[in-house]
Amino acid sequence: FLPYRRKMLRPSTQRYSVTRPLYSEDTFEDEHAKVYRKHKRLLDHFIQYFTCTSERAKNAAVSLLPIIGWMKIYSIKDWLLNDIVSGVSTGLVAVLQGLAFSLLASISTWYGLYAAFFPVIMYFFLGTSRHISVGSFPILSLMVGAVVTRLVPDEGPPANITAFEGLTKDEQRILVSASLTFLVGLFQLGMGLLQVGFIVMYLSDTLISGFTTAAAVHILVSQLKFVLGLTVPGFSGPLSIIYTLESVFTQITSTNIHDLVTSIVVMVTVLGIKEINDRFKSKLPVPIPIEVIMTVIACGISYAFNFSENHGVDVVGKIPNTFESPIAPSLQLFQMTAVEAFPIAIVGFAVAFAVAKVYSVKHDYIIDGNQELIAFGASNIFGGAFKSLVASTALSRSAVQESTGGKTQIAGLLSAIIVLVVILGIGFLLEPLPKSLLGAVVIVNLKGMLMQVVTVPYLWKKDRPDCIVWVGTCLAAIFLGLDLGLAVGLGLELLTVVFRTQTFALASFSVFLNLLQIYEPEGVKIFRIPSPIFFANIDFFRDKLKDAVGFNPLRILRKRNKAVKKIKKMIKKGELTLTSEEGNMEDLDKPTDYSDLPIQVNWNTELPANIRVPPVNIHSLILDFSAVSFLDISALKVTLTFDMSFPAYIIEKLRNCKFFDDEIKTSIFFLTIHDAMLFIHESHPPKTVSEKVNETV
């Protein structure tokens, strides 16, 4: 147990003893009145849910159309230029990735451009994230491609589907892809309307890491035929990766040297420039768009030397300069693809929500998981009707949109306009683009996912059940396919939870103290967690803790940092006169750059120039984790943002996981709540009656 302040504790030689009457249940109730909590009946919840007021109607409109919320605070002066720069940069990347990811889906390349246009338009109005870039995602494209090649294989007749009659093979594949996208959208929209956004809690970080690593391996293998210039049929189902590798290696002597050289040059160049972008990102105004530059160069060289006819290089080919007519999905295809559509819907939402959550925390705004499901559901239904690929978000593309200064989804809308210009105006310039370049770009963008394999030794040393989940999910997804692999991962995750809850450590203590809490002292908040902490409840724990203390620490700290910057500016301009005052400032209150501010700030008093920072009414927080029997790696990542206390066997695990550092030390952990309260009283002596009267006056 520990106080809220992060502070070095000095060794204490003080001792205490507790004397109180012997209580039975009856004698305790006689002395202390029991507080009864009123529980709502089902009818009360029903009436409250269907009661309509003007305030609820307004909130419902803002919730359903989040664009209303951020448009009201949009600053044209401060944000518009950033959104324009970000939109143009993201649009160029979206064009290239749209062409590249369509290869994974085994459909014509220009349909990948549709995924960077139609879903973006719908998400602009319905999405709650201001920074993610909506469009195709390699893992989803690969999962779609597995369904496409199963129903319309490269060799042999297609599946017996009435809607296929009179269609070419390419048209049949587009119908499968569009119908699947439409069905994925229906699943996501349904889950959003049913308010089941919490479902992503059951996909732990470990499971997602293992799954995406396996998907990266599948993507890498699928692009070998483009990198080597080979003709490899598409395989689906268990062991499809083995059959693909067998086909590649049996044809390895037929490698097209021009494709291979192009791929190697592109991969080396792009990796090198991306490394420069990462190393000097603080000095570069915008990242160097190396993929776009290499695309322009490759198109020029391919056109000049006629790679397609003279050297047998497979190129993008004809790109229609118009949108194709919308199509109605096939109900028969719905029946044949429902099993694959549901995991695609879950994975697409989980990836997008995880990325959106990162940027929402960084830029201090709220995202709604259920509304995100509705937004992506509507986007995929709209996109599916216009033959788009399944939409989610690509990590690299979202990073471009955010790092180039994007503030809102206006940047996303502008990126869609760039894609529109390419489709309708200059798409013909991309016709000589070698597919080997697209394959190389896809492989380069897998670096982050493939490098997740380095976490396996760490997991094995620190948390073996999580390591088993990672390895089991990864191997199952590689050899059995992504859909079955995800199911295996969920099964392993469930088994680890059952194992941990049935085999727990027993702690014995030789000190028994009074843990009876009749009230919380002024300025102190006591928070007790009565269950294990793991991936499925860690977000719930974090939200409840914030509710208990009554504020968001990160938001308070950022507002204080902004206030300090404003005070510095006022001092520099001579608009603020300093008076010599003494005061204390908690370590947590220190802004990121406090060194050159010649004053101390008392945040509980009125600040100059109408600067407003929400007050913090507590000085100490005691976290009672005596009932926590275990925590997993997902929980450990979150606990790094809090000061926490655990029984001895869990503290030992924290030591093994390198939880403690120069800031969080074992000395801030206490044996009991009573010990923590004694330390708090020593650090923050209770105010006397006269002090309280003086404060009131």
Side-chain angles (χ1 to χ4, degrees), residues 672-688:
T672 67
I673 294 178
H674 203 116
D675 290 290
M677 283 304 309
L678 288 176
F679 171 76
I680 291 171
H681 277 293
E682 182 181 344
S683 306
H684 298 272
K687 294 177 182 177
T688 63

mmCIF file with all atom_site columns, all heavy atoms in Angstrom, residues 672-688:
data_model
loop_
_atom_site.group_PDB
_atom_site.id
_atom_site.type_symbol
_atom_site.label_atom_id
_atom_site.label_alt_id
_atom_site.label_comp_id
_atom_site.label_asym_id
_atom_site.label_entity_id
_atom_site.label_seq_id
_atom_site.pdbx_PDB_ins_code
_atom_site.Cartn_x
_atom_site.Cartn_y
_atom_site.Cartn_z
_atom_site.occupancy
_atom_site.B_iso_or_equiv
_atom_site.pdbx_formal_charge
_atom_site.auth_seq_id
_atom_site.auth_comp_id
_atom_site.auth_asym_id
_atom_site.auth_atom_id
_atom_site.pdbx_PDB_model_num
ATOM 1   N N   . THR A 1 672 ? 0.480  -2.823 5.406  1.00 0.00 ? 672 THR A N   1
ATOM 2   C CA  . THR A 1 672 ? -0.960 -2.714 5.624  1.00 0.00 ? 672 THR A CA  1
ATOM 3   C C   . THR A 1 672 ? -1.426 -1.302 5.317  1.00 0.00 ? 672 THR A C   1
ATOM 4   O O   . THR A 1 672 ? -0.621 -0.370 5.176  1.00 0.00 ? 672 THR A O   1
ATOM 5   C CB  . THR A 1 672 ? -1.334 -3.041 7.085  1.00 0.00 ? 672 THR A CB  1
ATOM 6   O OG1 . THR A 1 672 ? -0.805 -2.015 7.925  1.00 0.00 ? 672 THR A OG1 1
ATOM 7   C CG2 . THR A 1 672 ? -0.790 -4.399 7.510  1.00 0.00 ? 672 THR A CG2 1
ATOM 8   N N   . ILE A 1 673 ? -2.737 -1.139 5.273  1.00 0.00 ? 673 ILE A N   1
ATOM 9   C CA  . ILE A 1 673 ? -3.316 0.191  5.107  1.00 0.00 ? 673 ILE A CA  1
ATOM 10  C C   . ILE A 1 673 ? -2.950 1.069  6.289  1.00 0.00 ? 673 ILE A C   1
ATOM 11  O O   . ILE A 1 673 ? -2.708 2.270  6.140  1.00 0.00 ? 673 ILE A O   1
ATOM 12  C CB  . ILE A 1 673 ? -4.845 0.083  4.963  1.00 0.00 ? 673 ILE A CB  1
ATOM 13  C CG1 . ILE A 1 673 ? -5.194 -0.645 3.660  1.00 0.00 ? 673 ILE A CG1 1
ATOM 14  C CG2 . ILE A 1 673 ? -5.507 1.451  4.975  1.00 0.00 ? 673 ILE A CG2 1
ATOM 15  C CD1 . ILE A 1 673 ? -6.671 -0.838 3.446  1.00 0.00 ? 673 ILE A CD1 1
ATOM 16  N N   . HIS A 1 674 ? -2.899 0.481  7.473  1.00 0.00 ? 674 HIS A N   1
ATOM 17  C CA  . HIS A 1 674 ? -2.572 1.250  8.668  1.00 0.00 ? 674 HIS A CA  1
ATOM 18  C C   . HIS A 1 674 ? -1.171 1.861  8.557  1.00 0.00 ? 674 HIS A C   1
ATOM 19  O O   . HIS A 1 674 ? -0.954 3.033  8.904  1.00 0.00 ? 674 HIS A O   1
ATOM 20  C CB  . HIS A 1 674 ? -2.666 0.352  9.913  1.00 0.00 ? 674 HIS A CB  1
ATOM 21  C CG  . HIS A 1 674 ? -2.896 1.112  11.171 1.00 0.00 ? 674 HIS A CG  1
ATOM 22  N ND1 . HIS A 1 674 ? -4.037 0.986  11.929 1.00 0.00 ? 674 HIS A ND1 1
ATOM 23  C CD2 . HIS A 1 674 ? -2.137 2.036  11.801 1.00 0.00 ? 674 HIS A CD2 1
ATOM 24  C CE1 . HIS A 1 674 ? -3.954 1.793  12.973 1.00 0.00 ? 674 HIS A CE1 1
ATOM 25  N NE2 . HIS A 1 674 ? -2.804 2.429  12.926 1.00 0.00 ? 674 HIS A NE2 1
ATOM 26  N N   . ASP A 1 675 ? -0.198 1.073  8.077  1.00 0.00 ? 675 ASP A N   1
ATOM 27  C CA  . ASP A 1 675 ? 1.153  1.605  7.884  1.00 0.00 ? 675 ASP A CA  1
ATOM 28  C C   . ASP A 1 675 ? 1.141  2.770  6.903  1.00 0.00 ? 675 ASP A C   1
ATOM 29  O O   . ASP A 1 675 ? 1.795  3.798  7.123  1.00 0.00 ? 675 ASP A O   1
ATOM 30  C CB  . ASP A 1 675 ? 2.084  0.511  7.357  1.00 0.00 ? 675 ASP A CB  1
ATOM 31  C CG  . ASP A 1 675 ? 2.386  -0.550 8.390  1.00 0.00 ? 675 ASP A CG  1
ATOM 32  O OD1 . ASP A 1 675 ? 3.107  -0.240 9.354  1.00 0.00 ? 675 ASP A OD1 1
ATOM 33  O OD2 . ASP A 1 675 ? 1.884  -1.669 8.238  1.00 0.00 ? 675 ASP A OD2 1
ATOM 34  N N   . ALA A 1 676 ? 0.407  2.596  5.807  1.00 0.00 ? 676 ALA A N   1
ATOM 35  C CA  . ALA A 1 676 ? 0.339  3.662  4.807  1.00 0.00 ? 676 ALA A CA  1
ATOM 36  C C   . ALA A 1 676 ? -0.278 4.923  5.399  1.00 0.00 ? 676 ALA A C   1
ATOM 37  O O   . ALA A 1 676 ? 0.187  6.042  5.161  1.00 0.00 ? 676 ALA A O   1
ATOM 38  C CB  . ALA A 1 676 ? -0.461 3.188  3.598  1.00 0.00 ? 676 ALA A CB  1
ATOM 39  N N   . MET A 1 677 ? -1.359 4.770  6.206  1.00 0.00 ? 677 MET A N   1
ATOM 40  C CA  . MET A 1 677 ? -2.013 5.933  6.799  1.00 0.00 ? 677 MET A CA  1
ATOM 41  C C   . MET A 1 677 ? -1.094 6.645  7.791  1.00 0.00 ? 677 MET A C   1
ATOM 42  O O   . MET A 1 677 ? -1.078 7.882  7.863  1.00 0.00 ? 677 MET A O   1
ATOM 43  C CB  . MET A 1 677 ? -3.302 5.513  7.495  1.00 0.00 ? 677 MET A CB  1
ATOM 44  C CG  . MET A 1 677 ? -4.462 5.249  6.552  1.00 0.00 ? 677 MET A CG  1
ATOM 45  S SD  . MET A 1 677 ? -4.858 6.648  5.469  1.00 0.00 ? 677 MET A SD  1
ATOM 46  C CE  . MET A 1 677 ? -4.984 7.977  6.648  1.00 0.00 ? 677 MET A CE  1
ATOM 47  N N   . LEU A 1 678 ? -0.320 5.899  8.550  1.00 0.00 ? 678 LEU A N   1
ATOM 48  C CA  . LEU A 1 678 ? 0.613  6.535  9.486  1.00 0.00 ? 678 LEU A CA  1
ATOM 49  C C   . LEU A 1 678 ? 1.656  7.363  8.742  1.00 0.00 ? 678 LEU A C   1
ATOM 50  O O   . LEU A 1 678 ? 2.015  8.468  9.158  1.00 0.00 ? 678 LEU A O   1
ATOM 51  C CB  . LEU A 1 678 ? 1.301  5.475  10.347 1.00 0.00 ? 678 LEU A CB  1
ATOM 52  C CG  . LEU A 1 678 ? 0.426  4.813  11.415 1.00 0.00 ? 678 LEU A CG  1
ATOM 53  C CD1 . LEU A 1 678 ? 1.198  3.722  12.128 1.00 0.00 ? 678 LEU A CD1 1
ATOM 54  C CD2 . LEU A 1 678 ? -0.074 5.842  12.416 1.00 0.00 ? 678 LEU A CD2 1
ATOM 55  N N   . PHE A 1 679 ? 2.148  6.810  7.629  1.00 0.00 ? 679 PHE A N   1
ATOM 56  C CA  . PHE A 1 679 ? 3.116  7.580  6.835  1.00 0.00 ? 679 PHE A CA  1
ATOM 57  C C   . PHE A 1 679 ? 2.473  8.842  6.259  1.00 0.00 ? 679 PHE A C   1
ATOM 58  O O   . PHE A 1 679 ? 3.064  9.924  6.238  1.00 0.00 ? 679 PHE A O   1
ATOM 59  C CB  . PHE A 1 679 ? 3.676  6.726  5.706  1.00 0.00 ? 679 PHE A CB  1
ATOM 60  C CG  . PHE A 1 679 ? 4.506  7.510  4.727  1.00 0.00 ? 679 PHE A CG  1
ATOM 61  C CD1 . PHE A 1 679 ? 5.795  7.907  5.056  1.00 0.00 ? 679 PHE A CD1 1
ATOM 62  C CD2 . PHE A 1 679 ? 3.991  7.883  3.500  1.00 0.00 ? 679 PHE A CD2 1
ATOM 63  C CE1 . PHE A 1 679 ? 6.551  8.655  4.174  1.00 0.00 ? 679 PHE A CE1 1
ATOM 64  C CE2 . PHE A 1 679 ? 4.743  8.624  2.608  1.00 0.00 ? 679 PHE A CE2 1
ATOM 65  C CZ  . PHE A 1 679 ? 6.024  9.013  2.948  1.00 0.00 ? 679 PHE A CZ  1
ATOM 66  N N   . ILE A 1 680 ? 1.230  8.710  5.778  1.00 0.00 ? 680 ILE A N   1
ATOM 67  C CA  . ILE A 1 680 ? 0.533  9.876  5.211  1.00 0.00 ? 680 ILE A CA  1
ATOM 68  C C   . ILE A 1 680 ? 0.313  10.940 6.281  1.00 0.00 ? 680 ILE A C   1
ATOM 69  O O   . ILE A 1 680 ? 0.503  12.135 6.037  1.00 0.00 ? 680 ILE A O   1
ATOM 70  C CB  . ILE A 1 680 ? -0.804 9.436  4.585  1.00 0.00 ? 680 ILE A CB  1
ATOM 71  C CG1 . ILE A 1 680 ? -0.536 8.603  3.321  1.00 0.00 ? 680 ILE A CG1 1
ATOM 72  C CG2 . ILE A 1 680 ? -1.678 10.636 4.241  1.00 0.00 ? 680 ILE A CG2 1
ATOM 73  C CD1 . ILE A 1 680 ? -1.769 7.946  2.749  1.00 0.00 ? 680 ILE A CD1 1
ATOM 74  N N   . HIS A 1 681 ? -0.078 10.508 7.487  1.00 0.00 ? 681 HIS A N   1
ATOM 75  C CA  . HIS A 1 681 ? -0.284 11.481 8.563  1.00 0.00 ? 681 HIS A CA  1
ATOM 76  C C   . HIS A 1 681 ? 1.018  12.180 8.939  1.00 0.00 ? 681 HIS A C   1
ATOM 77  O O   . HIS A 1 681 ? 1.030  13.348 9.317  1.00 0.00 ? 681 HIS A O   1
ATOM 78  C CB  . HIS A 1 681 ? -0.880 10.791 9.789  1.00 0.00 ? 681 HIS A CB  1
ATOM 79  C CG  . HIS A 1 681 ? -2.360 10.621 9.708  1.00 0.00 ? 681 HIS A CG  1
ATOM 80  N ND1 . HIS A 1 681 ? -3.237 11.679 9.735  1.00 0.00 ? 681 HIS A ND1 1
ATOM 81  C CD2 . HIS A 1 681 ? -3.135 9.505  9.597  1.00 0.00 ? 681 HIS A CD2 1
ATOM 82  C CE1 . HIS A 1 681 ? -4.478 11.238 9.644  1.00 0.00 ? 681 HIS A CE1 1
ATOM 83  N NE2 . HIS A 1 681 ? -4.441 9.913  9.545  1.00 0.00 ? 681 HIS A NE2 1
ATOM 84  N N   . GLU A 1 682 ? 2.131  11.447 8.806  1.00 0.00 ? 682 GLU A N   1
ATOM 85  C CA  . GLU A 1 682 ? 3.427  12.066 9.089  1.00 0.00 ? 682 GLU A CA  1
ATOM 86  C C   . GLU A 1 682 ? 3.802  13.077 8.004  1.00 0.00 ? 682 GLU A C   1
ATOM 87  O O   . GLU A 1 682 ? 4.356  14.137 8.287  1.00 0.00 ? 682 GLU A O   1
ATOM 88  C CB  . GLU A 1 682 ? 4.497  10.971 9.178  1.00 0.00 ? 682 GLU A CB  1
ATOM 89  C CG  . GLU A 1 682 ? 5.888  11.493 9.526  1.00 0.00 ? 682 GLU A CG  1
ATOM 90  C CD  . GLU A 1 682 ? 6.905  10.367 9.578  1.00 0.00 ? 682 GLU A CD  1
ATOM 91  O OE1 . GLU A 1 682 ? 6.494  9.198  9.647  1.00 0.00 ? 682 GLU A OE1 1
ATOM 92  O OE2 . GLU A 1 682 ? 8.115  10.678 9.535  1.00 0.00 ? 682 GLU A OE2 1
ATOM 93  N N   . SER A 1 683 ? 3.484  12.749 6.739  1.00 0.00 ? 683 SER A N   1
ATOM 94  C CA  . SER A 1 683 ? 3.813  13.639 5.623  1.00 0.00 ? 683 SER A CA  1
ATOM 95  C C   . SER A 1 683 ? 2.813  14.782 5.495  1.00 0.00 ? 683 SER A C   1
ATOM 96  O O   . SER A 1 683 ? 3.164  15.888 5.093  1.00 0.00 ? 683 SER A O   1
ATOM 97  C CB  . SER A 1 683 ? 3.850  12.849 4.315  1.00 0.00 ? 683 SER A CB  1
ATOM 98  O OG  . SER A 1 683 ? 4.712  11.752 4.416  1.00 0.00 ? 683 SER A OG  1
ATOM 99  N N   . HIS A 1 684 ? 1.552  14.501 5.790  1.00 0.00 ? 684 HIS A N   1
ATOM 100 C CA  . HIS A 1 684 ? 0.475  15.495 5.677  1.00 0.00 ? 684 HIS A CA  1
ATOM 101 C C   . HIS A 1 684 ? -0.299 15.501 6.990  1.00 0.00 ? 684 HIS A C   1
ATOM 102 O O   . HIS A 1 684 ? -1.355 14.864 7.091  1.00 0.00 ? 684 HIS A O   1
ATOM 103 C CB  . HIS A 1 684 ? -0.471 15.157 4.518  1.00 0.00 ? 684 HIS A CB  1
ATOM 104 C CG  . HIS A 1 684 ? 0.189  15.156 3.177  1.00 0.00 ? 684 HIS A CG  1
ATOM 105 N ND1 . HIS A 1 684 ? 0.308  16.282 2.400  1.00 0.00 ? 684 HIS A ND1 1
ATOM 106 C CD2 . HIS A 1 684 ? 0.780  14.152 2.475  1.00 0.00 ? 684 HIS A CD2 1
ATOM 107 C CE1 . HIS A 1 684 ? 0.927  15.971 1.273  1.00 0.00 ? 684 HIS A CE1 1
ATOM 108 N NE2 . HIS A 1 684 ? 1.233  14.690 1.301  1.00 0.00 ? 684 HIS A NE2 1
ATOM 109 N N   . PRO A 1 685 ? 0.210  16.170 8.014  1.00 0.00 ? 685 PRO A N   1
ATOM 110 C CA  . PRO A 1 685 ? -0.481 16.191 9.314  1.00 0.00 ? 685 PRO A CA  1
ATOM 111 C C   . PRO A 1 685 ? -1.907 16.702 9.154  1.00 0.00 ? 685 PRO A C   1
ATOM 112 O O   . PRO A 1 685 ? -2.155 17.645 8.407  1.00 0.00 ? 685 PRO A O   1
ATOM 113 C CB  . PRO A 1 685 ? 0.368  17.159 10.145 1.00 0.00 ? 685 PRO A CB  1
ATOM 114 C CG  . PRO A 1 685 ? 1.699  17.181 9.478  1.00 0.00 ? 685 PRO A CG  1
ATOM 115 C CD  . PRO A 1 685 ? 1.429  16.986 8.024  1.00 0.00 ? 685 PRO A CD  1
ATOM 116 N N   . PRO A 1 686 ? -2.882 16.069 9.812  1.00 0.00 ? 686 PRO A N   1
ATOM 117 C CA  . PRO A 1 686 ? -4.268 16.547 9.726  1.00 0.00 ? 686 PRO A CA  1
ATOM 118 C C   . PRO A 1 686 ? -4.373 17.993 10.207 1.00 0.00 ? 686 PRO A C   1
ATOM 119 O O   . PRO A 1 686 ? -3.693 18.404 11.148 1.00 0.00 ? 686 PRO A O   1
ATOM 120 C CB  . PRO A 1 686 ? -5.018 15.591 10.663 1.00 0.00 ? 686 PRO A CB  1
ATOM 121 C CG  . PRO A 1 686 ? -4.146 14.378 10.762 1.00 0.00 ? 686 PRO A CG  1
ATOM 122 C CD  . PRO A 1 686 ? -2.746 14.865 10.656 1.00 0.00 ? 686 PRO A CD  1
ATOM 123 N N   . LYS A 1 687 ? -5.218 18.764 9.532  1.00 0.00 ? 687 LYS A N   1
ATOM 124 C CA  . LYS A 1 687 ? -5.370 20.177 9.874  1.00 0.00 ? 687 LYS A CA  1
ATOM 125 C C   . LYS A 1 687 ? -6.171 20.330 11.157 1.00 0.00 ? 687 LYS A C   1
ATOM 126 O O   . LYS A 1 687 ? -7.123 19.590 11.413 1.00 0.00 ? 687 LYS A O   1
ATOM 127 C CB  . LYS A 1 687 ? -6.078 20.911 8.730  1.00 0.00 ? 687 LYS A CB  1
ATOM 128 C CG  . LYS A 1 687 ? -5.259 20.957 7.449  1.00 0.00 ? 687 LYS A CG  1
ATOM 129 C CD  . LYS A 1 687 ? -6.016 21.619 6.329  1.00 0.00 ? 687 LYS A CD  1
ATOM 130 C CE  . LYS A 1 687 ? -5.189 21.607 5.041  1.00 0.00 ? 687 LYS A CE  1
ATOM 131 N NZ  . LYS A 1 687 ? -5.928 22.184 3.894  1.00 0.00 ? 687 LYS A NZ  1
ATOM 132 N N   . THR A 1 688 ? -5.759 21.304 11.944 1.00 0.00 ? 688 THR A N   1
ATOM 133 C CA  . THR A 1 688 ? -6.489 21.610 13.167 1.00 0.00 ? 688 THR A CA  1
ATOM 134 C C   . THR A 1 688 ? -7.754 22.383 12.841 1.00 0.00 ? 688 THR A C   1
ATOM 135 O O   . THR A 1 688 ? -7.935 22.874 11.720 1.00 0.00 ? 688 THR A O   1
ATOM 136 C CB  . THR A 1 688 ? -5.616 22.435 14.117 1.00 0.00 ? 688 THR A CB  1
ATOM 137 O OG1 . THR A 1 688 ? -5.312 23.685 13.473 1.00 0.00 ? 688 THR A OG1 1
ATOM 138 C CG2 . THR A 1 688 ? -4.309 21.707 14.431 1.00 0.00 ? 688 THR A CG2 1
#
